[in-house]
mmCIF file of all heavy atoms in Angstrom:
data_model
loop_
_atom_site.group_PDB
_atom_site.id
_atom_site.type_symbol
_atom_site.label_atom_id
_atom_site.label_comp_id
_atom_site.label_asym_id
_atom_site.label_seq_id
_atom_site.Cartn_x
_atom_site.Cartn_y
_atom_site.Cartn_z
ATOM 1 N N SER A 296 -2.771 41.701 60.657
ATOM 2 C CA SER A 296 -1.774 42.331 59.762
ATOM 3 C C SER A 296 -2.260 42.518 58.327
ATOM 4 O O SER A 296 -1.540 43.116 57.525
ATOM 5 C CB SER A 296 -0.473 41.511 59.766
ATOM 6 O OG SER A 296 -0.610 40.326 59.017
ATOM 7 N N ILE A 297 -3.411 41.967 58.003
ATOM 8 C CA ILE A 297 -3.889 42.076 56.618
ATOM 9 C C ILE A 297 -4.009 43.579 56.273
ATOM 10 O O ILE A 297 -4.685 44.312 56.974
ATOM 11 C CB ILE A 297 -5.212 41.349 56.407
ATOM 12 C CG1 ILE A 297 -4.990 39.835 56.529
ATOM 13 C CG2 ILE A 297 -5.802 41.691 55.042
ATOM 14 C CD1 ILE A 297 -6.266 39.010 56.436
ATOM 15 N N ALA A 298 -3.318 43.980 55.202
ATOM 16 C CA ALA A 298 -3.173 45.400 54.925
ATOM 17 C C ALA A 298 -3.968 45.852 53.691
ATOM 18 O O ALA A 298 -3.879 47.003 53.303
ATOM 19 C CB ALA A 298 -1.694 45.730 54.716
ATOM 20 N N VAL A 299 -4.696 44.932 53.053
ATOM 21 C CA VAL A 299 -5.433 45.311 51.801
ATOM 22 C C VAL A 299 -6.888 44.857 51.933
ATOM 23 O O VAL A 299 -7.197 43.858 52.575
ATOM 24 C CB VAL A 299 -4.784 44.675 50.576
ATOM 25 C CG1 VAL A 299 -3.449 45.343 50.258
ATOM 26 C CG2 VAL A 299 -4.611 43.164 50.728
ATOM 27 N N ALA A 300 -7.744 45.623 51.272
ATOM 28 C CA ALA A 300 -9.199 45.370 51.331
ATOM 29 C C ALA A 300 -9.666 44.674 50.061
ATOM 30 O O ALA A 300 -9.024 44.795 49.018
ATOM 31 C CB ALA A 300 -9.949 46.688 51.480
ATOM 32 N N ILE A 301 -10.760 43.939 50.177
ATOM 33 C CA ILE A 301 -11.323 43.294 48.990
ATOM 34 C C ILE A 301 -11.689 44.346 47.930
ATOM 35 O O ILE A 301 -12.276 45.359 48.269
ATOM 36 C CB ILE A 301 -12.555 42.441 49.383
ATOM 37 C CG1 ILE A 301 -12.121 41.290 50.271
ATOM 38 C CG2 ILE A 301 -13.288 41.911 48.133
ATOM 39 C CD1 ILE A 301 -13.279 40.527 50.911
ATOM 40 N N GLY A 302 -11.303 44.094 46.723
ATOM 41 C CA GLY A 302 -11.548 45.057 45.632
ATOM 42 C C GLY A 302 -10.442 46.051 45.386
ATOM 43 O O GLY A 302 -10.425 46.770 44.410
ATOM 44 N N GLN A 303 -9.486 46.082 46.295
ATOM 45 C CA GLN A 303 -8.397 47.062 46.193
ATOM 46 C C GLN A 303 -7.423 46.655 45.101
ATOM 47 O O GLN A 303 -7.042 45.469 44.983
ATOM 48 C CB GLN A 303 -7.670 47.126 47.544
ATOM 49 C CG GLN A 303 -6.539 48.121 47.585
ATOM 50 C CD GLN A 303 -5.929 48.215 48.999
ATOM 51 O OE1 GLN A 303 -6.581 47.891 50.003
ATOM 52 N NE2 GLN A 303 -4.647 48.595 49.041
ATOM 53 N N LYS A 304 -7.010 47.604 44.293
ATOM 54 C CA LYS A 304 -5.955 47.349 43.300
ATOM 55 C C LYS A 304 -4.611 47.361 43.991
ATOM 56 O O LYS A 304 -4.348 48.189 44.864
ATOM 57 C CB LYS A 304 -5.985 48.407 42.198
ATOM 58 C CG LYS A 304 -7.169 48.297 41.280
ATOM 59 C CD LYS A 304 -7.109 49.352 40.162
ATOM 60 C CE LYS A 304 -8.326 49.196 39.255
ATOM 61 N NZ LYS A 304 -8.384 50.280 38.226
ATOM 62 N N VAL A 305 -3.767 46.438 43.591
ATOM 63 C CA VAL A 305 -2.400 46.419 44.157
ATOM 64 C C VAL A 305 -1.390 46.380 43.003
ATOM 65 O O VAL A 305 -1.693 45.898 41.892
ATOM 66 C CB VAL A 305 -2.190 45.203 45.083
ATOM 67 C CG1 VAL A 305 -3.065 45.334 46.338
ATOM 68 C CG2 VAL A 305 -2.426 43.896 44.375
ATOM 69 N N ARG A 306 -0.210 46.864 43.292
ATOM 70 C CA ARG A 306 0.907 46.784 42.362
ATOM 71 C C ARG A 306 1.925 45.827 42.930
ATOM 72 O O ARG A 306 1.986 45.574 44.131
ATOM 73 C CB ARG A 306 1.548 48.173 42.151
ATOM 74 C CG ARG A 306 0.612 49.247 41.687
ATOM 75 C CD ARG A 306 -0.016 48.925 40.318
ATOM 76 N NE ARG A 306 0.977 48.798 39.290
ATOM 77 C CZ ARG A 306 1.395 49.809 38.505
ATOM 78 N NH1 ARG A 306 0.900 51.021 38.676
ATOM 79 N NH2 ARG A 306 2.272 49.596 37.556
ATOM 80 N N THR A 307 2.764 45.325 42.049
ATOM 81 C CA THR A 307 3.871 44.470 42.477
ATOM 82 C C THR A 307 4.621 45.143 43.627
ATOM 83 O O THR A 307 4.966 46.304 43.529
ATOM 84 C CB THR A 307 4.872 44.224 41.326
ATOM 85 O OG1 THR A 307 4.182 43.742 40.214
ATOM 86 C CG2 THR A 307 5.954 43.242 41.753
ATOM 87 N N GLY A 308 4.813 44.439 44.721
ATOM 88 C CA GLY A 308 5.566 44.997 45.834
ATOM 89 C C GLY A 308 4.728 45.653 46.904
ATOM 90 O O GLY A 308 5.270 46.017 47.970
ATOM 91 N N ASP A 309 3.436 45.850 46.658
ATOM 92 C CA ASP A 309 2.589 46.429 47.715
ATOM 93 C C ASP A 309 2.517 45.472 48.898
ATOM 94 O O ASP A 309 2.449 44.243 48.712
ATOM 95 C CB ASP A 309 1.182 46.696 47.205
ATOM 96 C CG ASP A 309 1.098 47.942 46.293
ATOM 97 O OD1 ASP A 309 2.152 48.637 46.184
ATOM 98 O OD2 ASP A 309 0.029 48.198 45.762
ATOM 99 N N VAL A 310 2.494 46.004 50.079
ATOM 100 C CA VAL A 310 2.450 45.190 51.291
ATOM 101 C C VAL A 310 1.039 44.640 51.474
ATOM 102 O O VAL A 310 0.057 45.383 51.453
ATOM 103 C CB VAL A 310 2.866 46.005 52.543
ATOM 104 C CG1 VAL A 310 2.689 45.168 53.804
ATOM 105 C CG2 VAL A 310 4.327 46.461 52.393
ATOM 106 N N LEU A 311 0.953 43.299 51.644
ATOM 107 C CA LEU A 311 -0.350 42.647 51.830
ATOM 108 C C LEU A 311 -0.593 42.303 53.282
ATOM 109 O O LEU A 311 -1.744 42.177 53.710
ATOM 110 C CB LEU A 311 -0.425 41.373 50.995
ATOM 111 C CG LEU A 311 -0.092 41.495 49.509
ATOM 112 C CD1 LEU A 311 -0.160 40.125 48.844
ATOM 113 C CD2 LEU A 311 -1.040 42.483 48.832
ATOM 114 N N GLY A 312 0.455 42.080 54.038
ATOM 115 C CA GLY A 312 0.342 41.675 55.430
ATOM 116 C C GLY A 312 1.752 41.360 55.956
ATOM 117 O O GLY A 312 2.747 41.715 55.328
ATOM 118 N N ILE A 313 1.780 40.693 57.098
ATOM 119 C CA ILE A 313 3.050 40.367 57.745
ATOM 120 C C ILE A 313 3.176 38.865 57.931
ATOM 121 O O ILE A 313 2.197 38.184 58.282
ATOM 122 C CB ILE A 313 3.129 41.061 59.142
ATOM 123 C CG1 ILE A 313 2.996 42.581 58.993
ATOM 124 C CG2 ILE A 313 4.427 40.690 59.853
ATOM 125 C CD1 ILE A 313 4.107 43.279 58.231
ATOM 126 N N ILE A 314 4.338 38.328 57.626
ATOM 127 C CA ILE A 314 4.563 36.876 57.678
ATOM 128 C C ILE A 314 4.261 36.336 59.090
ATOM 129 O O ILE A 314 4.514 37.028 60.083
ATOM 130 C CB ILE A 314 6.038 36.561 57.241
ATOM 131 C CG1 ILE A 314 6.196 35.108 56.844
ATOM 132 C CG2 ILE A 314 7.008 36.952 58.336
ATOM 133 C CD1 ILE A 314 7.496 34.819 56.137
ATOM 134 N N GLY A 315 3.696 35.150 59.136
ATOM 135 C CA GLY A 315 3.303 34.593 60.444
ATOM 136 C C GLY A 315 3.158 33.089 60.382
ATOM 137 O O GLY A 315 3.682 32.421 59.491
ATOM 138 N N ASP A 316 2.411 32.545 61.339
ATOM 139 C CA ASP A 316 2.198 31.105 61.421
ATOM 140 C C ASP A 316 0.760 30.784 61.815
ATOM 141 O O ASP A 316 0.468 29.779 62.458
ATOM 142 C CB ASP A 316 3.190 30.442 62.377
ATOM 143 C CG ASP A 316 3.098 30.978 63.778
ATOM 144 O OD1 ASP A 316 2.250 31.868 64.041
ATOM 145 O OD2 ASP A 316 3.871 30.514 64.638
ATOM 146 N N THR A 317 -0.178 31.646 61.424
ATOM 147 C CA THR A 317 -1.582 31.404 61.790
ATOM 148 C C THR A 317 -2.148 30.279 60.941
ATOM 149 O O THR A 317 -1.732 30.031 59.802
ATOM 150 C CB THR A 317 -2.421 32.679 61.581
ATOM 151 O OG1 THR A 317 -2.315 33.123 60.230
ATOM 152 C CG2 THR A 317 -1.938 33.799 62.506
ATOM 153 N N GLY A 318 -3.159 29.609 61.526
ATOM 154 C CA GLY A 318 -3.786 28.456 60.873
ATOM 155 C C GLY A 318 -3.498 27.190 61.671
ATOM 156 O O GLY A 318 -2.401 27.045 62.243
ATOM 157 N N THR A 319 -4.467 26.282 61.683
ATOM 158 C CA THR A 319 -4.367 25.087 62.503
ATOM 159 C C THR A 319 -3.213 24.211 62.003
ATOM 160 O O THR A 319 -3.139 23.888 60.812
ATOM 161 C CB THR A 319 -5.672 24.286 62.416
ATOM 162 O OG1 THR A 319 -6.723 25.130 62.857
ATOM 163 C CG2 THR A 319 -5.591 23.061 63.323
ATOM 164 N N GLY A 320 -2.344 23.849 62.905
ATOM 165 C CA GLY A 320 -1.283 22.920 62.581
ATOM 166 C C GLY A 320 -0.109 23.514 61.833
ATOM 167 O O GLY A 320 0.808 22.787 61.414
ATOM 168 N N VAL A 321 -0.105 24.811 61.636
ATOM 169 C CA VAL A 321 1.006 25.430 60.891
ATOM 170 C C VAL A 321 2.232 25.467 61.810
ATOM 171 O O VAL A 321 2.158 25.908 62.951
ATOM 172 C CB VAL A 321 0.637 26.853 60.447
ATOM 173 C CG1 VAL A 321 1.826 27.565 59.856
ATOM 174 C CG2 VAL A 321 -0.513 26.797 59.455
ATOM 175 N N THR A 322 3.325 24.952 61.314
ATOM 176 C CA THR A 322 4.555 24.969 62.098
ATOM 177 C C THR A 322 5.600 25.829 61.408
ATOM 178 O O THR A 322 5.898 25.642 60.248
ATOM 179 C CB THR A 322 5.131 23.525 62.259
ATOM 180 O OG1 THR A 322 5.292 22.971 60.951
ATOM 181 C CG2 THR A 322 4.211 22.672 63.069
ATOM 182 N N GLY A 323 6.093 26.756 62.118
ATOM 183 C CA GLY A 323 7.143 27.619 61.576
ATOM 184 C C GLY A 323 6.553 28.819 60.856
ATOM 185 O O GLY A 323 5.547 28.715 60.161
ATOM 186 N N ILE A 324 7.222 29.922 61.007
ATOM 187 C CA ILE A 324 6.759 31.169 60.364
ATOM 188 C C ILE A 324 7.119 31.103 58.899
ATOM 189 O O ILE A 324 8.301 30.960 58.563
ATOM 190 C CB ILE A 324 7.368 32.388 61.081
ATOM 191 C CG1 ILE A 324 6.789 32.485 62.516
ATOM 192 C CG2 ILE A 324 7.120 33.648 60.292
ATOM 193 C CD1 ILE A 324 7.443 33.544 63.350
ATOM 194 N N HIS A 325 6.122 31.165 58.062
ATOM 195 C CA HIS A 325 6.387 31.137 56.628
ATOM 196 C C HIS A 325 5.179 31.708 55.861
ATOM 197 O O HIS A 325 4.109 31.854 56.437
ATOM 198 C CB HIS A 325 6.688 29.721 56.140
ATOM 199 C CG HIS A 325 5.492 28.799 56.114
ATOM 200 N ND1 HIS A 325 5.007 28.141 57.219
ATOM 201 C CD2 HIS A 325 4.705 28.424 55.075
ATOM 202 C CE1 HIS A 325 3.970 27.398 56.877
ATOM 203 N NE2 HIS A 325 3.758 27.568 55.592
ATOM 204 N N VAL A 326 5.399 31.993 54.605
ATOM 205 C CA VAL A 326 4.269 32.334 53.728
ATOM 206 C C VAL A 326 4.092 31.153 52.747
ATOM 207 O O VAL A 326 5.057 30.719 52.143
ATOM 208 C CB VAL A 326 4.461 33.669 53.002
ATOM 209 C CG1 VAL A 326 5.774 33.725 52.226
ATOM 210 C CG2 VAL A 326 3.274 33.948 52.043
ATOM 211 N N HIS A 327 2.863 30.664 52.724
ATOM 212 C CA HIS A 327 2.474 29.649 51.726
ATOM 213 C C HIS A 327 2.020 30.440 50.512
ATOM 214 O O HIS A 327 0.999 31.129 50.555
ATOM 215 C CB HIS A 327 1.365 28.773 52.286
ATOM 216 C CG HIS A 327 0.803 27.776 51.319
ATOM 217 N ND1 HIS A 327 1.117 26.432 51.387
ATOM 218 C CD2 HIS A 327 -0.066 27.911 50.297
ATOM 219 C CE1 HIS A 327 0.449 25.788 50.429
ATOM 220 N NE2 HIS A 327 -0.247 26.669 49.748
ATOM 221 N N PHE A 328 2.813 30.392 49.449
ATOM 222 C CA PHE A 328 2.594 31.220 48.272
ATOM 223 C C PHE A 328 2.111 30.313 47.151
ATOM 224 O O PHE A 328 2.829 29.400 46.729
ATOM 225 C CB PHE A 328 3.919 31.914 47.894
ATOM 226 C CG PHE A 328 3.832 32.718 46.607
ATOM 227 C CD1 PHE A 328 2.854 33.668 46.422
ATOM 228 C CD2 PHE A 328 4.762 32.501 45.599
ATOM 229 C CE1 PHE A 328 2.808 34.428 45.248
ATOM 230 C CE2 PHE A 328 4.717 33.235 44.429
ATOM 231 C CZ PHE A 328 3.734 34.208 44.254
ATOM 232 N N GLN A 329 0.907 30.572 46.694
ATOM 233 C CA GLN A 329 0.250 29.624 45.802
ATOM 234 C C GLN A 329 -0.206 30.387 44.534
ATOM 235 O O GLN A 329 -0.729 31.507 44.613
ATOM 236 C CB GLN A 329 -0.993 29.085 46.536
ATOM 237 C CG GLN A 329 -1.669 27.892 45.979
ATOM 238 C CD GLN A 329 -2.637 27.317 47.013
ATOM 239 O OE1 GLN A 329 -3.034 28.015 47.968
ATOM 240 N NE2 GLN A 329 -2.976 26.074 46.849
ATOM 241 N N ILE A 330 0.001 29.740 43.399
ATOM 242 C CA ILE A 330 -0.408 30.333 42.126
ATOM 243 C C ILE A 330 -1.424 29.420 41.446
ATOM 244 O O ILE A 330 -1.160 28.260 41.223
ATOM 245 C CB ILE A 330 0.817 30.544 41.193
ATOM 246 C CG1 ILE A 330 1.819 31.489 41.839
ATOM 247 C CG2 ILE A 330 0.363 31.082 39.840
ATOM 248 C CD1 ILE A 330 3.117 31.628 41.063
ATOM 249 N N TRP A 331 -2.571 29.983 41.159
ATOM 250 C CA TRP A 331 -3.672 29.238 40.522
ATOM 251 C C TRP A 331 -3.860 29.702 39.118
ATOM 252 O O TRP A 331 -3.604 30.865 38.775
ATOM 253 C CB TRP A 331 -5.008 29.541 41.250
ATOM 254 C CG TRP A 331 -5.126 28.995 42.630
ATOM 255 C CD1 TRP A 331 -4.557 29.511 43.766
ATOM 256 C CD2 TRP A 331 -5.916 27.884 43.030
ATOM 257 N NE1 TRP A 331 -4.944 28.780 44.856
ATOM 258 C CE2 TRP A 331 -5.797 27.771 44.429
ATOM 259 C CE3 TRP A 331 -6.739 26.977 42.360
ATOM 260 C CZ2 TRP A 331 -6.431 26.767 45.193
ATOM 261 C CZ3 TRP A 331 -7.386 25.985 43.098
ATOM 262 C CH2 TRP A 331 -7.226 25.870 44.474
ATOM 263 N N PHE A 332 -4.363 28.797 38.312
ATOM 264 C CA PHE A 332 -4.843 29.197 36.976
ATOM 265 C C PHE A 332 -6.277 28.763 36.793
ATOM 266 O O PHE A 332 -6.602 27.570 36.839
ATOM 267 C CB PHE A 332 -3.972 28.600 35.868
ATOM 268 C CG PHE A 332 -4.497 28.931 34.500
ATOM 269 C CD1 PHE A 332 -4.440 30.225 34.039
ATOM 270 C CD2 PHE A 332 -5.123 27.963 33.716
ATOM 271 C CE1 PHE A 332 -4.958 30.557 32.811
ATOM 272 C CE2 PHE A 332 -5.648 28.278 32.497
ATOM 273 C CZ PHE A 332 -5.547 29.591 32.035
ATOM 274 N N GLN A 333 -7.160 29.723 36.600
ATOM 275 C CA GLN A 333 -8.550 29.493 36.221
ATOM 276 C C GLN A 333 -9.352 28.670 37.208
ATOM 277 O O GLN A 333 -10.480 28.318 36.941
ATOM 278 C CB GLN A 333 -8.654 28.816 34.836
ATOM 279 C CG GLN A 333 -8.304 29.749 33.700
ATOM 280 C CD GLN A 333 -8.678 29.176 32.364
ATOM 281 O OE1 GLN A 333 -8.954 27.993 32.218
ATOM 282 N NE2 GLN A 333 -8.649 30.009 31.342
ATOM 283 N N HIS A 334 -8.753 28.351 38.338
ATOM 284 C CA HIS A 334 -9.420 27.623 39.375
ATOM 285 C C HIS A 334 -9.939 26.265 38.934
ATOM 286 O O HIS A 334 -10.640 25.567 39.634
ATOM 287 C CB HIS A 334 -10.588 28.444 39.962
ATOM 288 C CG HIS A 334 -10.791 28.174 41.415
ATOM 289 N ND1 HIS A 334 -11.973 27.758 41.952
ATOM 290 C CD2 HIS A 334 -9.950 28.355 42.461
ATOM 291 C CE1 HIS A 334 -11.836 27.622 43.267
ATOM 292 N NE2 HIS A 334 -10.616 28.001 43.591
ATOM 293 N N LEU A 335 -9.698 25.915 37.692
ATOM 294 C CA LEU A 335 -10.248 24.690 37.132
ATOM 295 C C LEU A 335 -9.194 23.656 36.861
ATOM 296 O O LEU A 335 -9.487 22.484 36.672
ATOM 297 C CB LEU A 335 -10.952 25.012 35.789
ATOM 298 C CG LEU A 335 -12.136 25.943 35.898
ATOM 299 C CD1 LEU A 335 -12.608 26.324 34.512
ATOM 300 C CD2 LEU A 335 -13.248 25.289 36.677
ATOM 301 N N GLY A 336 -7.986 24.068 36.797
ATOM 302 C CA GLY A 336 -6.911 23.116 36.575
ATOM 303 C C GLY A 336 -6.452 23.097 35.155
ATOM 304 O O GLY A 336 -6.642 24.038 34.375
ATOM 305 N N SER A 337 -5.838 22.010 34.804
ATOM 306 C CA SER A 337 -5.248 21.891 33.485
ATOM 307 C C SER A 337 -6.275 22.083 32.412
ATOM 308 O O SER A 337 -7.399 21.664 32.510
ATOM 309 C CB SER A 337 -4.636 20.492 33.322
ATOM 310 O OG SER A 337 -4.267 20.288 31.995
ATOM 311 N N ILE A 338 -5.874 22.763 31.343
ATOM 312 C CA ILE A 338 -6.752 22.883 30.192
ATOM 313 C C ILE A 338 -6.329 21.946 29.088
ATOM 314 O O ILE A 338 -6.827 21.972 27.987
ATOM 315 C CB ILE A 338 -6.818 24.326 29.673
ATOM 316 C CG1 ILE A 338 -5.444 24.866 29.325
ATOM 317 C CG2 ILE A 338 -7.479 25.215 30.699
ATOM 318 C CD1 ILE A 338 -5.494 26.269 28.715
ATOM 319 N N MET A 339 -5.383 21.041 29.442
ATOM 320 C CA MET A 339 -5.008 20.016 28.428
ATOM 321 C C MET A 339 -5.858 18.768 28.648
ATOM 322 O O MET A 339 -6.086 18.360 29.773
ATOM 323 C CB MET A 339 -3.528 19.674 28.581
ATOM 324 C CG MET A 339 -2.618 20.800 28.185
ATOM 325 S SD MET A 339 -0.878 20.348 28.339
ATOM 326 C CE MET A 339 -0.700 19.277 26.931
ATOM 327 N N SER A 340 -6.324 18.166 27.573
ATOM 328 C CA SER A 340 -7.238 17.065 27.705
ATOM 329 C C SER A 340 -6.563 15.845 28.325
ATOM 330 O O SER A 340 -7.220 14.987 28.904
ATOM 331 C CB SER A 340 -7.793 16.715 26.341
ATOM 332 O OG SER A 340 -6.781 16.333 25.448
ATOM 333 N N ASN A 341 -5.245 15.718 28.225
ATOM 334 C CA ASN A 341 -4.574 14.550 28.796
ATOM 335 C C ASN A 341 -4.197 14.790 30.266
ATOM 336 O O ASN A 341 -3.550 13.915 30.864
ATOM 337 C CB ASN A 341 -3.335 14.173 27.998
ATOM 338 C CG ASN A 341 -2.235 15.205 28.081
ATOM 339 O OD1 ASN A 341 -2.368 16.225 28.746
ATOM 340 N ND2 ASN A 341 -1.146 14.946 27.403
ATOM 341 N N GLY A 342 -4.597 15.926 30.839
ATOM 342 C CA GLY A 342 -4.387 16.146 32.248
ATOM 343 C C GLY A 342 -3.042 16.694 32.626
ATOM 344 O O GLY A 342 -2.776 16.896 33.804
ATOM 345 N N ASP A 343 -2.192 16.923 31.658
ATOM 346 C CA ASP A 343 -0.906 17.515 31.981
ATOM 347 C C ASP A 343 -1.115 18.911 32.541
ATOM 348 O O ASP A 343 -2.101 19.582 32.267
ATOM 349 C CB ASP A 343 -0.018 17.629 30.734
ATOM 350 C CG ASP A 343 0.513 16.283 30.310
ATOM 351 O OD1 ASP A 343 0.325 15.315 31.074
ATOM 352 O OD2 ASP A 343 1.092 16.191 29.213
#
Side-chain angles (χ1 to χ4, degrees):
S296 75
I297 292 175
V299 289
I301 294 171
Q303 182 177 334
K304 289 182 179 174
V305 294
R306 304 298 300 267
T307 307
D309 284 356
V310 175
L311 308 178
I313 301 296
I314 198 168
D316 59 1
T317 58
T319 303
V321 173
T322 55
I324 293 173
H325 73 278
V326 54
H327 175 104
F328 175 53
Q329 194 167 20
I330 299 174
W331 292 76
F332 176 70
Q333 287 191 347
H334 214 236
L335 297 172
S337 170
I338 56 176
M339 293 181 73
S340 61
N341 68 0
D343 287 352

